[in-house]
Amino acid sequence: MSIIQVEHLKSFFKTDEGIVKAVDDVSFELRENEILALVGESGCGKSVTAQTILGLLKSPPAMIEGSIKYHGQELVGLSNKAYHKLRGKEIGMIFQEPMSAFDPLYTVGDQAAEAVAVHSKLNKPEIRDKIIAMFNKVGIPEAENRYDEYPHQMSGGMLQRMLIALTLACDPKVLIADEPTTALDVTIQAQVLNLMRDLQNEFNTSIIFITHDLGVVAELSDRIHVMYAGKIVEKADVVELFDHPKHPYTKGLLASRLKREMKGQILPFIKGTVPRAFEFPEGCRFHPRCPHAMEICKQKDPDPVAFENGHVCSCWLYLKQNKTDGVESQ
Ligand code: SF4
């Protein structure tokens, strides 16, 4: 059963340099009690998708079209007041930089208490107890003492744990985690990922996990959606995607992962860079970087093709029209 349903979502921005099509006709669902990973390079639209779901984009300059339903309730066009009730309580968010999520002038406990108080009827001592219990749950040592400390007294890993704790203390049904481990060193990354999986199991939270790193989500997620230049180009269960990737971009991402047996060799990489959002190419947006690009790829955007097991890929290599048109490969 889906908890969030996104249909034909567009998030465009009017700028002096042109229209930025940050998210362009994106559709997906988040199912109850699953971890869905949105994966892609920087600038592919993952974070803007999350910010749109959370109603964080100001309109104008943002132009939002399409539909985002949370438990059937339409969020596109929702008032700020209604969003205020929803954010935190129903849909929580964890950002990449835990340090910037906390105000350096207040203790972490006071800030957590303020966030919880907005959405709860608990009194002050009850809120304090709840937050300390959550700090313990996410593995903060001496949680009671830490409650009264300031952000600068914590390591990055500890602050990220606290951010997860205070987000979960509001009992959200959905958690959107935007690159939550990117700013952390590798051992702390692994701890935070394990913690998120454990907490998801315990609280039955549905999670959208945003990352540029396919390796990070291999163990963590149930399904993966790969984004490129504002569009979702491939969707599949995690095992299916790793075993049978279809889109050339996904194959490139998988090939460029660091592997132990490649010691001393040059790491494969996807040539070129993600185009700037106001100058996406016509046709398939990946065509300037794609080793399989054909003439039709430069002219028309491929429709999604559905395979077995819910695997979906948007690429002319799998469209019948490509074969019947007799389009020649380059
Ligand atoms: Fe490559 Fe064409 Fe497929 Fe795009 S549609 S990924 S350019 S083969």
Side-chain angles (χ1 to χ4, degrees), residues 301-305 313-316 319 321:
D301 202 11
D303 287 330
V305 185
C313 174
S314 301
C315 173
W316 281 111
L319 279 160
Q321 189 183 343

Side-chain angles (χ1 to χ4, degrees), residues 233 246-249 283-294 296-298 300-302 313-319:
V233 295
K246 295 196 182 299
H247 198 280
Y249 177 59
C284 169
R285 292 176 179 178
F286 188 57
H287 85 252
R289 304 174 73 188
C290 180
H292 308 289
M294 300 166 278
I296 195 166
C297 305
K298 299 175 188 170
K300 285 193 208 164
D301 202 11
C313 174
S314 301
C315 173
W316 281 111
L317 289 173
Y318 305 99
L319 279 160

Side-chain angles (χ1 to χ4, degrees), residues 222-243:
D222 300 298
R223 293 187 301 136
I224 296 180
H225 290 1
V226 179
M227 285 193 78
Y228 185 79
K231 290 184 176 282
I232 292 177
V233 295
E234 185 158 12
K235 304 176 181 179
D237 287 354
V238 63
V239 175
E240 168 72 13
L241 190 104
F242 275 82
D243 288 353

Side-chain angles (χ1 to χ4, degrees), residues 191-239:
Q191 288 174 17
V192 170
L193 291 175
N194 288 337
L195 171 69
M196 289 195 67
R197 178 48 102 179
D198 291 347
L199 293 171
Q200 191 255 345
N201 284 333
E202 184 174 344
F203 296 102
N204 295 330
T205 317
S206 306
I207 299 178
I208 297 176
F209 193 96
I210 292 171
T211 179
H212 64 280
D213 186 348
L214 263 176
V216 160
V217 291
E219 303 283 322
L220 184 76
S221 57
D222 300 298
R223 293 187 301 136
I224 296 180
H225 290 1
V226 179
M227 285 193 78
Y228 185 79
K231 290 184 176 282
I232 292 177
V233 295
E234 185 158 12
K235 304 176 181 179
D237 287 354
V238 63
V239 175

Side-chain angles (χ1 to χ4, degrees), residues 21-160:
K21 297 179 177 179
V23 175
D24 192 1
D25 202 8
V26 159
S27 299
F28 67 92
E29 63 168 357
L30 174 68
R31 298 172 189 160
E32 279 191 349
N33 203 10
E34 75 162 350
I35 300 184
L36 170 70
L38 280 186
V39 179
E41 292 163 284
S42 314
C44 71
K46 316 176 294 277
S47 297
V48 176
T49 302
Q51 289 162 6
T52 312
I53 293 171
L54 282 159
L56 295 175
L57 301 177
K58 280 214 167 66
S59 183
M63 297 175 279
I64 315 288
E65 281 180 27
S67 169
I68 304 166
K69 287 201 172 122
Y70 170 71
H71 277 309
Q73 180 191 6
E74 183 57 66
L75 302 187
V76 172
L78 201 67
S79 69
N80 279 340
K81 198 175 164 194
Y83 247 124
H84 194 64
K85 282 189 190 154
L86 196 86
R87 252 184 255 124
K89 176 68 190 156
E90 299 292 328
I91 309 176
M93 181 140 186
I94 299 169
F95 294 95
Q96 182 175 344
E97 287 286 346
M99 192 58 94
S100 60
F102 286 93
D103 187 325
L105 299 177
Y106 297 92
T107 66
V108 287
D110 280 350
Q111 293 181 64
E114 194 181 333
V116 174
V118 172
H119 301 293
S120 124
K121 292 191 170 71
L122 299 176
N123 61 32
K124 274 189 178 175
E126 287 168 336
I127 288 175
R128 183 183 171 100
D129 289 348
K130 182 169 189 177
I131 290 166
I132 289 171
M134 286 306 294
F135 281 0
N136 275 317
K137 197 151 283 250
V138 300
I140 305 281
E142 300 174 52
E144 189 133 14
N145 297 335
R146 291 291 187 177
Y147 186 97
D148 296 310
E149 291 185 355
Y150 289 86
H152 73 269
Q153 294 172 283
M154 319 278 167
S155 67
M158 199 176 293
L159 272 183
Q160 192 58 290

